[in-house]
Amino acid sequence: MSPTTYNEIPLPSFLYGTAWKKEATTGLVELAVDSGFKGIDTANQLKHYDEARVGEALLALQKKGVRREDLFLQTKFTSIGGQDQRLPYDPSADPATQVRQSFESSLKHLHTDYLDSYVLHGPTFRRGLSAEDWDVWGAIEELYQAGKTKMIGASNVSAEQLALLCSKAKVKPMVVQNRCFAVMGWDYEVRKICAQHDLVYEGFSLLTANQEFFGAHELHGIAKRVGSGVAQVIFRFAQQVGMLPLTGTTDPQHMKEDLACERFTLTPEELQQIETIGVG
Ligand SMILES: NC(=O)c1ccc[n+]([C@@H]2O[C@H](COP(=O)([O-])OP(=O)(O)OC[C@H]3O[C@@H](n4cnc5c(N)ncnc54)[C@H](OP(=O)(O)O)[C@@H]3O)[C@@H](O)[C@H]2O)c1
């Protein structure tokens, strides 16, 4: 099952992802929380996210009685390579200063004085970790040690990069956020490392990266048995194998359906069928 706590920090069972929502961000985040989502994922990266609009939703929710501590807020540091010209830091500053500036700007956008989770959006290269990655990670560790974020993590990491980070970091990551492909055993190698080191694995694009399997008769058979759609089966599978899934749905009905997957339980045989659906 999805972890419910990490070192006594309460974790949601689902994260609402705010990428690509543009001006609809505020309304959708409000709707997601009203629908029951307790975790929000964003990034200080205007190219794909609008953190300030997430913050506007949080203010509106506060007025309705939703307290800061009722929500799990996660955002990311994105280095220059992943940004457009609208940078949340001084591009001529050193990487550690950029992290601190980006973090402070995130706190302002989100109207808070702490984060639940702060994530390195991605290493510089596909393999290994660069000197800049280590400087960035060092600054993220300092934010954690200063108590400004309860958890820290990394996104878009390979198994090799994650193993390296876990072995060499002063403070190892607590969260990993990766695109989860069924053809890679649902990111099996990375999930294995997460299990070994007791890290939380957050899976994104669980639906969009795996459309080719949605016609599979196994999935439809399971969906029929539990009385749901295939999307819910995938999300429930993710939770039951220990992932914290993300959904970026913009549809109020899908928000309810995605959350409602917790109403049913897949059998060990069904979990095994889905685990191997892309690698058979
Ligand atoms: N770290 C990274 O680099 C990174 C990269 C990508 C994404 N992310 C995070 O992950 C979040 C989610 O991204 P994602 O790629 O998983 O999601 P997504 O691209 O937003 O995809 C969700 C898709 O699934 C559909 N969907 C959701 N629930 C459904 C249901 N019950 N039935 C049918 N269709 C359903 C949605 O359509 P409807 O809108 O019609 O429901 C949408 O097309 C992002 O918002 C972001 O926070 C992180």
Side-chain angles (χ1 to χ4, degrees):
M1 286 295 171
S2 295
T4 52
T5 55
Y6 181 93
N7 278 347
E8 296 182 10
I9 301 158
L11 296 173
S13 53
F14 230 124
L15 287 176
Y16 183 68
T18 63
W20 314 300
K21 310 281 186 285
K22 299 187 176 164
E23 52 285 341
T25 302
T26 309
L28 285 168
V29 170
E30 215 180 317
L31 186 64
V33 174
D34 285 340
S35 304
F37 283 91
K38 304 239 178 283
I40 308 288
D41 176 74
T42 184
N44 205 347
Q45 180 205 31
L46 275 167
K47 189 174 173 186
H48 297 303
Y49 297 79
D50 196 330
E51 225 184 24
R53 282 194 163 104
V54 173
E56 281 172 24
L58 299 177
L59 289 181
L61 287 160
Q62 233 169 50
K63 285 192 189 135
K64 292 193 230 171
V66 180
R67 298 166 307 167
R68 167 66 185 87
E69 58 270 33
D70 296 333
L71 298 175
F72 180 93
L73 291 187
Q74 172 171 277
T75 190
K76 311 184 193 84
F77 170 78
T78 312
S79 48
I80 291 176
Q83 301 270 9
D84 59 19
Q85 73 288 357
R86 296 165 294 170
L87 292 165
Y89 47 76
D90 175 0
S92 64
D94 61 84
T97 305
Q98 289 176 0
V99 172
R100 287 190 287 272
Q101 290 177 350
S102 189
F103 186 88
E104 287 307 317
S105 142
S106 289
L107 292 184
K108 278 204 187 85
H109 288 154
L110 298 170
H111 309 286
T112 183
D113 56 5
Y114 74 96
L115 288 171
D116 296 283
S117 174
Y118 196 56
V119 171
L120 164 61
H121 210 149
T124 316
F125 303 115
R126 278 174 174 266
R127 304 187 66 141
L129 295 171
S130 66
E132 183 178 325
D133 292 334
W134 284 111
D135 289 346
V136 165
W137 186 256
I140 291 176
E141 285 173 332
E142 282 172 19
L143 293 169
Y144 171 75
Q145 286 167 328
K148 294 181 170 190
T149 179
K150 293 185 182 179
M151 299 173 77
I152 55 176
S155 182
N156 299 302
V157 282
S158 66
E160 174 242 343
Q161 288 169 324
L162 181 59
L164 189 60
L165 196 54
C166 286
S167 67
K168 298 255 170 74
K170 206 158 40 163
V171 183
K172 70 175 184 188
M174 299 155 198
V175 175
V176 168
Q177 184 182 108
N178 266 7
R179 183 167 277 119
C180 197
F181 289 99
V183 288
M184 293 176 68
W186 305 92
D187 214 6
Y188 181 74
E189 291 302 322
V190 171
R191 284 195 289 134
K192 205 163 70 180
I193 298 173
C194 289
Q196 279 161 2
H197 290 270
D198 201 20
L199 318 184
V200 178
Y201 179 93
E202 299 175 358
F204 65 83
S205 299
L206 282 157
L207 303 185
T208 44
N210 300 301
Q211 309 258 1
E212 70 219 79
F213 301 107
F214 286 5
H217 67 90
E218 294 99 316
L219 281 180
H220 285 273
I222 298 169
K224 194 168 168 205
R225 182 187 75 75
V226 297
S228 80
V230 167
Q232 284 171 290
V233 170
I234 300 290
F235 287 132
R236 190 56 174 151
F237 158 77
Q239 290 178 336
Q240 283 189 240
V241 298
M243 294 186 210
L244 170 47
L246 286 109
T247 176
T249 180
T250 54
D251 181 312
Q253 188 56 32
H254 289 166
M255 286 185 189
K256 289 200 188 97
E257 283 175 16
D258 293 353
L259 288 166
C261 75
E262 290 184 52
R263 293 206 195 119
F264 58 80
T265 303
L266 304 177
T267 65
E269 294 74 30
E270 288 169 340
L271 293 178
Q272 188 54 28
Q273 273 184 326
I274 303 172
E275 275 277 13
T276 53
I277 204 162
V279 290

